[in-house]
Amino acid sequence: MQKKIIIALAPTGGWGLGEGNPVSPEEIAEQTYECAAAGAAVVHMHARDEKGALTADMHCFNRTCELIRAGSDIIIEASTGGISTMTTEERAYPAANPHAQIASLNIGTLNFGDKVYINSVPDIRKWIAIMANLKIKPSMEIFDTGNMDCALNLLKQGLLTPPCNFSFVCNLNWGMPYHPAILSYLRDQVPAGSHWGANLINSADFSQHIEVAKLGGAVVRVGFEDSRRYNGKIAQRNVELVKALRAELEDNGFSIATVAEAKAVLLA
């Protein structure tokens, strides 16, 4: 088989301090170095304060990016997720960091547990314009099947430039659950020449990651933001997840993309 798979890292969980969760710039950078050495080609980063809370203050985010870039050529993906109480412009602040090369673009509003995660279409258009002005590549986060229709419509309007990167987010409460049939449906709508991958929230092992790879996904993501559990264990550091996922991918006939190979896919 020997298909190249890009491993992405989301290193910081949303629970804040404690349990080995890397929050400070130094901690995040150190764990990113470890994961890059183990095979991760992308790091997905939110703007967080010293307690791990999402913030519009870019001090910690910018320091983290500086430290990561000083020690690694890993692709930095800036999250524009933020929280719904932030303004549209505040949520886009991370994309303006000079070290960011791609940025997440949330396509659609959803019930996120008991809260509403607001991503209105007018705001999506604003984020697209901001990213275009910054010359940064969007990675579209798809939370449900209807989001794909929205993304394709934006593409038809000429607001997005192909090839595009799609990231299917599974198992969020209450977004779409993971199921091969759902992934196949979404995969079949990805335009020719574009790429897709998956974020598999609260996974207990890597069975879904392997299925994504077998279905044709180019990117699979691990890290404390998604889940600390793997194969009956609880990871104490993110590098455990990257090493274990890499081993399973290679056992299933896949090879791991280098940073240079990932850039050729995600930055095209």
Side-chain angles (χ1 to χ4, degrees):
M1 186 179 296
Q2 289 301 308
K3 177 189 172 185
K4 295 281 187 177
I5 301 295
I6 299 166
I7 296 179
L9 168 71
T12 303
W15 64 85
L17 296 171
E19 302 180 71
N21 192 30
V23 169
S24 73
E26 292 74 18
E27 291 171 326
I28 296 171
E30 181 181 2
Q31 293 209 28
T32 299
Y33 299 156
E34 294 175 349
C35 292
V42 180
V43 58
H44 172 82
M45 286 184 22
H46 292 265
R48 298 183 183 274
D49 63 21
E50 65 278 1
K51 295 182 180 179
L54 295 171
T55 179
D57 183 344
M58 291 296 102
H59 175 74
C60 289
F61 181 87
N62 290 337
R63 176 62 176 156
T64 305
C65 288
E66 290 173 4
L67 290 171
I68 289 173
R69 186 54 70 236
S72 174
D73 64 346
I74 194 170
I75 298 168
I76 295 177
E77 179 182 69
S79 173
T80 61
I83 51 178
S84 297
T85 55
M86 291 181 185
T87 67
T88 306
E89 291 74 20
E90 286 173 337
R91 287 177 61 177
Y93 284 170
N97 183 279
H99 299 299
Q101 292 154 292
I102 55 178
S104 64
L105 174 64
N106 300 287
I107 307 290
T109 296
L110 76 156
N111 289 324
F112 192 174
D114 291 339
K115 298 181 180 179
V116 179
Y117 185 37
I118 300 172
N119 298 288
S120 71
V121 175
D123 281 350
I124 294 167
R125 291 195 185 102
K126 289 179 183 177
W127 291 321
I128 291 172
I130 290 170
M131 291 181 198
N133 185 56
L134 293 168
K135 295 181 171 56
I136 193 165
K137 187 84 173 182
S139 182
M140 288 177 280
E141 298 209 337
I142 305 297
F143 299 112
D144 216 332
T145 53
N147 291 176
M148 195 66 181
D149 293 336
C150 179
L152 295 175
N153 185 261
L154 294 166
L155 187 57
K156 288 178 182 177
Q157 293 176 38
L159 298 178
L160 295 166
T161 303
C164 297
N165 302 322
F166 296 87
S167 184
F168 304 144
V169 184
C170 302
N171 302 328
L172 277 178
N173 289 338
W174 301 102
M176 63 184 171
Y178 176 84
H179 194 285
I182 296 175
L183 268 291
S184 296
Y185 169 78
L186 293 170
R187 174 202 62 191
D188 292 347
Q189 296 185 73
V190 172
S194 292
H195 310 281
W196 69 277
N199 306 342
L200 302 158
I201 311 303
N202 294 321
S203 58
D205 55 37
F206 298 126
S207 58
Q208 294 177 358
H209 296 73
I210 300 302
E211 281 190 309
V212 166
K214 290 181 177 179
L215 285 168
V219 184
V220 288
R221 195 175 89 172
V222 291
F224 282 14
E225 181 179 339
D226 296 345
S227 177
R228 293 174 62 204
R229 297 181 296 153
Y230 72 106
N231 306 336
K233 302 176 183 179
I234 302 293
Q236 301 305 306
R237 295 180 72 83
N238 281 282
V239 70
E240 297 174 49
L241 299 167
V242 173
K243 286 182 176 179
L245 174 58
R246 177 174 189 156
E248 290 209 25
L249 285 166
E250 291 176 338
D251 285 348
N252 278 273
F254 298 98
S255 56
I256 308 306
T258 65
V259 171
E261 290 167 335
K263 286 179 179 179
V265 172
L266 300 178
L267 303 183

